[in-house]
Amino acid sequence: MTPLIPLTRDLVLIGGGHTHALLLRRWGMDPLPGVRLTLIDPGPLTAYSGMLPGYIAGHYDADTPQIDLVRLARFAGARLVIGRAEGLDLAAREVVVGDRRIGFDVASLDIGVTSRMPQVEGFAAHGVPAKPLGQLARAWEGYRTGEGRAHVAVIGGGIAGAELAMAAAHGLRHRGARVTVIERDRLLPGASDAARRLVRNRMTALGVTVIEGTQVARIEADRVCLDDGREVASHFTIGAAGARPQGWLAETGLSLTDGFVDVGPTLQSSDPRIFAAGDCAHMLHDPRPKAGVYAVRQAPVLFDNLRAALSGGRMRDYQPQKDYLKLVSLGDRTAMAEKWGRVVALPMLWTWKDRIDRRFMDKLSDLPEMAAPKLPDPVAEGVVEALGDKPMCGGCGAKVGRGALREALAGLPARTRADVLPLPGDDAGLILTGGARQVISTDHLRTFVEDPHLMTRIAAIHALGDVWAMGARPQAATVSLILPRMSAEMQRRSMAEIMAAAREVMDAAGAHILGGHSSLGSELTVGFTVTGICENEPVTLAGARPGAVLILTKPVGSGTILAAEMARAAPGRVVARAWEAMVQGQARASEILAGAQAMTDVTGFGLAGHLSGICEASGCGAELHIADVPLMEGALELAEAGIRSTLFADNMSGAGAAILGAGGARAELMFDPQTAGGLLAAVEPDRAEALLAELRAAGYPAARIGRMVEGAGLKLV
């Protein structure tokens, strides 16, 4: 048997820039055993600069210029931390991300630049920086679909500002766009006279006004005020006046030039454990302008040198080219090319540029299928069938099927203690201690997200669900933890992140962490045993009566989304929003629904399975109106594409006598296993609307999804 290789080194990539995106692809094809790879970025997507003007002009939809970091991270086997890096502690070897500290042995910076203009009054409130690119792309999506005459101002008349101004004029022509470029020097400083003349003529044809030799005094919601007293109408003001370094780099202690990280030929900074690439780096050995072409060509050198730094290998030098072909979009499907002082503009150049850009994006989206390890030959009968045709899901998708679980529990001996109360069908138990009613439950999750901090938050919310579902107040918790086999230092780092996340959730819930147990194994597994105090009668599965209205506090679809993410078939934005839903606690919802007839949390057996549990315990039936059940973004589309959790079939067969009055993908999502799902409550009909209003005011996407009825069984209508 091949031995499990322990993790011994942490490599942290700070920023999802072009260099790191290409590095992730290479890493997925040729990882270095023993290294835990981490990517930190503010969002699940990052914009590709080459296509942004085309998006502003309307040539691409919102998704086309976006690099999906969730998919890339899954392909590379990396953990993705969604958050903005704010500092480096070189002595402790930690990256500061908000309240978190993420340890590293080797780190690499590819955080780009910013065009924020903090020195300009009103920019923070009314301006949009051209970089980082994601913020501009998101803001433009809403503005482009508005109504009325569009007024846009672009501060900065360099290549980037000129491209954006021409793109905006073309993209907003249906709104009679008035676009103004404001440049303190002259248009396209540093460009050749021929390039400047061509761009100026193109701007004139598009109706773009150029104001040169003046600066911005302040920005207001509907105008830009210049220092000479003039005012420029603008409802959308873009800051594109040069590339500025990220401010926090100044506090790192690294050697900088004008705020950019100094690197040598190996792309190492003044601290040999820290590398830097892309626009945030300044190449001491051969300074170059800020351009994406250098970032792309640094990727293979950075990949080799990071591996060498982690394995004791030999590094190689990066030598940038002296000049490069500049392709500038001119608003419509025309582009200008400039190299060695020669300038030409043709429609075919835009087509060529589009082909280059799409090829780059295809490289990062059409990821190769890596061969799975071959099974030994021979193997026991049934091994192939048991493995199935896809990886086993994590989270609640990895649960034992309801049928097998019921059969095992049916063999347990009858209750022998008077202070332990039976609650048929409920996941939590009820104990009488000194007159107090104490709820106890335990739960653990097989990892489905590589970030241990996020995984712990989800597992803690999930474990608390049984306590909240009984209307109890969380009291105490113990942690049950299996870490992948790793070095002592990495154990320390991982435990610190996990316990910080556990404390964050349990403190917010009012529960005290007493301790727990940890061990090493083949993969991360996080669990909690939790107790809670019932100050009132516990809400169980058994009290629902015909006529009661069914309320659900969270959307469903996490099992399908997580299964798709494992197969790299789920859009990163969809996955990130599913994570956000999973970490939403249910404490306030539990308080609001405390007087429910019956309540449960929707987890591994799916909405239909857990509602069937209420039906069985309460001795009545239910109608589930599937059209009214809220779904997570993207879940229906993935289900329609045939994505299913590995627990789906068990949930279909284990939901009891469910009658499918309606079919299709939406109906099948009723059997989708949920992780850290919402509360499902049966409430008095005359209280339903008031409870829904209170839940929504508290931030829950709650919905009325059906009712309890006479008879038995569950009907999906």
Side-chain angles (χ1 to χ4, degrees):
M1 181 179 293
T2 303
L4 180 68
I5 297 176
L7 299 171
T8 61
R9 293 290 183 271
D10 268 312
L11 169 59
V12 177
L13 306 180
I14 307 168
H18 303 353
T19 310
H20 282 174
L22 290 167
L23 187 148
L24 285 166
R25 185 180 190 275
R26 283 176 169 257
W27 194 276
M29 298 172 68
D30 187 16
L32 181 62
V35 173
R36 177 170 62 181
L37 178 62
T38 300
L39 171 67
I40 302 170
D41 196 80
L45 307 174
T46 187
Y48 169 50
S49 59
M51 283 182 156
L52 188 62
Y55 167 65
I56 298 294
H59 305 319
Y60 304 121
D61 62 26
D63 292 330
T64 300
Q66 301 284 1
I67 299 171
D68 194 323
L69 297 180
V70 174
R71 282 179 175 163
L72 269 176
R74 169 63 69 176
F75 177 73
R79 60 171 176 162
L80 173 61
V81 175
I82 297 181
R84 188 178 299 278
E86 299 172 350
L88 274 178
D89 186 333
L90 298 182
R93 287 184 296 169
E94 292 176 335
V95 185
V96 180
V97 184
D99 294 333
R100 295 180 62 180
R101 286 180 167 260
I102 298 171
F104 66 85
D105 294 290
V106 175
S108 177
L109 290 155
D110 185 15
I111 57 175
V113 295
T114 180
S115 49
R116 292 186 180 90
M117 306 174 70
Q119 77 280 9
V120 177
E121 180 184 345
F123 185 85
H126 307 298
V128 181
K131 291 186 177 183
L133 304 170
Q135 184 177 344
L136 175 59
R138 290 189 297 272
W140 188 258
E141 188 171 1
Y143 186 72
R144 185 170 60 179
T145 57
E147 297 179 351
R149 182 179 288 276
H151 293 274
V152 176
V154 179
I155 303 172
I159 289 291
E163 270 194 301
L164 290 173
M166 291 184 286
H170 181 81
L172 294 173
R173 62 194 184 283
H174 63 290
R175 293 179 56 187
R178 299 274 182 90
V179 180
T180 305
V181 175
I182 304 163
E183 168 57 46
R184 66 179 181 179
D185 187 8
R186 63 171 182 164
L187 187 68
L188 301 186
S192 66
D193 290 339
R196 187 178 298 108
R197 185 164 52 250
L198 191 155
V199 169
R200 191 181 292 275
N201 290 340
R202 179 58 184 159
M203 285 183 164
T204 300
L206 287 167
V208 176
T209 301
V210 179
I211 299 177
E212 297 172 288
T214 189
Q215 297 197 65
V216 174
R218 71 181 183 278
I219 300 169
E220 298 179 2
D222 60 352
R223 73 196 70 191
V224 176
C225 303
L226 307 182
D227 61 2
D228 60 9
R230 285 181 289 175
E231 294 184 348
V232 175
S234 177
H235 299 119
F236 195 96
T237 302
I238 302 172
R244 293 174 173 80
Q246 302 284 358
W248 63 266
L249 292 174
E251 307 299 323
T252 61
L254 297 172
S255 174
L256 308 176
T257 296
D258 298 326
F260 299 98
V261 179
D262 291 335
V263 297
T266 61
L267 303 179
Q268 287 172 291
S269 71
S270 55
D271 185 321
R273 299 167 301 176
I274 309 294
F275 293 70
D279 288 350
C280 72
H282 173 73
M283 293 180 284
L284 289 170
H285 62 294
D286 197 349
R288 295 281 118 194
K290 304 301 180 187
V293 64
Y294 299 113
V296 169
R297 296 189 180 184
Q298 285 170 342
V301 176
L302 182 63
F303 173 79
D304 289 345
N305 289 353
L306 288 174
R307 289 172 63 92
L310 291 158
S311 62
R314 183 176 180 179
M315 298 191 189
R316 63 189 182 104
D317 291 348
Y318 167 70
Q319 296 296 337
Q321 66 270 38
K322 295 300 180 184
D323 198 5
Y324 64 96
L325 179 66
K326 305 172 187 68
L327 290 171
V328 180
S329 298
L330 299 176
D332 61 1
R333 295 176 186 266
T334 304
M336 176 188 78
E338 180 185 25
K339 189 174 183 181
W340 297 320
R342 299 183 61 185
V343 177
V344 63
L346 294 168
M348 65 174 292
L349 289 174
W350 191 91
T351 303
W352 184 30
K353 180 180 184 303
D354 175 63
R355 188 177 298 121
I356 293 171
D357 290 337
R358 289 185 184 274
R359 190 180 303 128
F360 176 82
M361 292 299 289
D362 287 346
K363 182 181 291 188
L364 297 175
S365 57
D366 295 338
L367 301 169
E369 289 296 330
M370 306 306 293
K374 290 184 178 180
L375 289 174
D377 187 22
V379 294
E381 291 181 351
V383 166
V384 174
E385 292 78 8
L387 283 173
D389 57 358
K390 60 181 179 180
M392 184 176 70
C393 290
C396 266
K399 288 186 72 168
V400 172
R402 194 179 188 197
L405 186 60
R406 277 181 165 178
E407 185 176 335
L409 293 176
L412 291 177
R415 179 173 64 105
T416 58
R417 293 183 60 102
D419 56 355
V420 177
L421 303 184
L423 296 173
D426 281 278
D427 289 333
L430 190 63
I431 301 171
L432 296 179
T433 306
R437 287 168 295 198
Q438 186 180 48
V439 173
I440 184 168
S441 181
T442 189
D443 227 318
H444 73 267
L445 297 176
R446 175 178 175 267
T447 187
F448 54 84
V449 57
E450 297 297 327
D451 178 9
H453 186 276
L454 176 59
M455 187 66 222
T456 302
R457 289 179 64 199
I458 294 171
I461 294 291
H462 180 81
L464 287 165
D466 292 331
V467 175
W468 285 324
M470 295 187 72
R473 181 169 45 84
Q475 176 195 27
T478 59
V479 187
S480 177
L481 180 63
I482 301 174
L483 289 178
R485 189 178 178 191
M486 56 179 61
S487 68
E489 174 61 18
M490 291 187 68
Q491 290 176 38
R492 183 196 64 78
R493 292 172 184 165
S494 299
M495 291 289 287
E497 289 193 57
I498 287 167
M499 293 310 298
R503 284 195 302 271
E504 175 187 328
V505 175
M506 292 301 171
D507 286 352
H512 181 72
I513 297 178
L514 300 175
H517 178 76
S518 63
S519 62
L520 297 179
S522 60
E523 63 181 349
L524 178 65
T525 301
V526 184
F528 295 87
T529 297
V530 292
T531 63
I533 300 296
C534 280
E535 296 173 344
N536 301 303
E537 284 295 322
V539 184
T540 68
L541 300 179
R545 299 184 295 274
V549 170
L550 294 170
I551 289 178
L552 180 67
T553 64
K554 280 189 184 183
V556 302
S558 63
T560 295
I561 291 170
L562 295 180
E565 192 274 327
M566 290 185 69
R568 305 198 309 273
R573 179 184 62 255
V574 166
V575 176
R577 289 186 178 169
W579 292 339
E580 290 173 4
M582 284 185 264
V583 297
Q584 183 184 29
Q586 299 289 289
R588 181 62 186 135
S590 174
E591 293 173 359
I592 294 169
L593 296 169
Q597 295 176 6
M599 188 156 62
T600 186
D601 60 329
V602 180
T603 53
F605 300 139
L607 177 58
H610 287 284
L611 181 51
S612 291
I614 290 179
C615 292
E616 293 167 9
S618 299
C620 56
E623 286 182 357
L624 179 60
H625 302 159
I626 62 172
D628 297 332
V629 176
L631 303 180
M632 291 183 177
E633 177 187 337
L636 182 59
E637 292 78 6
L638 292 169
E640 288 173 339
I643 303 292
R644 301 288 183 272
S645 166
T646 50
L647 193 60
F648 171 77
D650 278 324
N651 282 355
M652 282 282 287
S653 61
I659 301 172
L660 292 176
R666 178 177 278 274
E668 291 176 349
L669 283 169
M670 304 303 103
F671 302 90
D672 187 52
Q674 304 304 293
T675 300
L679 297 178
L680 171 64
V683 303
E684 297 287 348
D686 59 354
R687 298 181 59 221
E689 289 308 314
L691 290 172
L692 280 170
E694 196 172 355
L695 285 165
R696 290 165 182 164
Y700 296 100
R704 178 176 182 154
I705 63 168
R707 64 192 183 102
M708 302 303 295
V709 297
E710 298 281 357
L714 170 62
K715 184 177 181 180
L716 276 63
V717 297

